[in-house]
Amino acid sequence: MIAPFSYQALPMRVVFGAGALAKLPDEVAALGLTRVLVLCSPEQEDTGRAVAAALGERSAGVLAEARMHVPVEVARRARGRAAELGADGCVAVGGGSAIGLGKAIALEHELPIIAVPTTYAGSEMTPVWGLTEGGQKRTGRDLRVLPRSVLYDPEMTLSLPAQMSATSAMNAIAHAVEGLYAPDATPIVSLMAEEGARALAGALPRVVADGSDIEARAEAQYGAWLCGAVLAATTMSLHHKLCHTLGGTLDLPHAPTHTVVLPHALAFNQPAAPQAVAALSRALGGASDPARELWELAGRLDAPRSLAELGMAEADIPRIAELAVANPYANPRPVTREGIESLLRAAWAGEAPAR
Ligand code: NAD
């Protein structure tokens, strides 16, 4: 039987396909923007400059200062720069860091964002913002930060290294996994979650084997779009909570942390989430144990599988377990300190997830 639900669609304008970047000037014009600030990380400054050049006089300049988790001082500088240049919008080119910087500006100045994602993390589809100050990351939801238009051009992902492709895609699959057992799951979002996980899991081995395989890149980006939309529509549970705690407290890298934790968080929840298990099993080629299959997939992709290799000390496990249970949140299976500690021990050591 279909459980009662309420569902609110978010405005999502998506332009998808190889070469979609050529449509950026039209997207800027359609929003009535005349001076957009191009945002990117320092590593992608050349890409940012090429995008600004293609925009001609509609570009107000390039700010290549995006950083992981949006440090508040970077956000302040970017807001100041946008005001100085008289920008009336932002084009964020990059992964969650560049898009996150655009969101930080929109949060204060309400400048519309056009996103050109170059990873698979999914931030471009969500109204979720984050800001980090003094080692503490605050997040929130605000429709003002939801990009108005998203251009998915798989050609923009051809340069994404294999390892980052694998881990940012695992980050996206994590949105799908938690969307499937979310307290506010709905039938349409569950369809997106299953299809998104299927597309990403199918495309990833091909992306990692040959980064220039444009069809595989397009399939992965299609999956990332769907998984990002799932994150936008549902409340996240144990997995995202744990990754947030590990990232914020120990400064572990975002996408690799998601990759390591996901099989273990899913294994913990599987006994209490039969519908999610059934959907993920279909998405992962009939795997009877989706958590195990995701762990095997990470191995085949040569992605990290232990928190130890990401730099976490074993001695930190009790502290993280304590923090992860400090505030209650929705989760299909009751979260206990002992349960989380043993989950973390397995993830730290790189063991297969518990059955
Ligand atoms: P990222 O944006 O931090 O990028 C990682 C590195 O890869 C950067 O140096 C970047 O320049 C480089 N890079 C990106 N695309 C590239 C490409 N095509 N070719 C070569 N290099 C490329 O990584 P991410 O995993 O996309 O984002 C992580 C951040 O996003 C975290 O801060 C996370 O909290 C946030 N995030 C937010 C949401 C949300 O809904 N708000 C969702 C997912 C992630």
Side-chain angles (χ1 to χ4, degrees), residues 51-247:
V51 167
L55 283 171
E57 59 186 25
R58 284 189 194 271
S59 160
V62 177
L63 188 70
E65 291 190 17
R67 285 263 154 251
M68 185 88 81
H69 302 311
V70 198
V72 79
E73 56 281 3
V74 174
R76 279 194 199 114
R77 257 201 320 275
R79 288 166 180 156
R81 195 80 189 112
E84 245 168 59
L85 292 167
D88 57 4
C90 292
V91 171
V93 185
S97 298
I99 294 162
L101 186 56
K103 288 176 171 182
I105 298 173
L107 197 58
E108 205 150 276
H109 296 322
E110 302 198 18
L111 296 191
I113 303 168
I114 299 176
V116 183
T118 65
T119 71
Y120 305 122
S123 175
E124 64 282 354
M125 293 313 294
T126 83
V128 179
W129 56 266
L131 277 172
T132 306
E133 186 163 25
Q136 292 278 335
K137 184 167 177 180
R138 285 185 296 130
T139 60
R141 282 180 187 252
D142 192 317
L143 273 181
R144 289 174 303 168
V145 310
L146 182 71
R148 301 283 178 88
S149 177
V150 180
L151 275 88
Y152 283 108
D153 185 341
E155 287 176 3
M156 298 296 286
T157 63
L158 291 174
S159 52
L160 189 65
Q163 180 88 176
M164 270 193 239
S165 297
T167 57
S168 81
M170 283 293 199
N171 184 189
I173 293 175
H175 310 330
V177 165
E178 295 233 293
L180 283 164
Y181 54 61
D184 42 7
T186 58
I188 190 168
V189 173
S190 296
L191 283 174
M192 291 196 287
E194 183 177 329
E195 174 66 356
R198 183 205 62 73
L200 277 164
L204 271 179
R206 290 183 288 139
V207 164
V208 166
D210 175 7
S212 67
D213 182 339
I214 193 77
E215 277 180 32
R217 291 287 192 181
E219 180 83 0
Q221 228 180 9
Y222 160 69
W225 164 46
L226 293 172
C227 292
V230 172
L231 175 64
T234 50
T235 303
M236 296 289 112
S237 299
L238 174 67
H239 169 78
H240 282 74
K241 177 81 179 174
L242 272 177
C243 292
H244 191 106
T245 308
L246 287 162

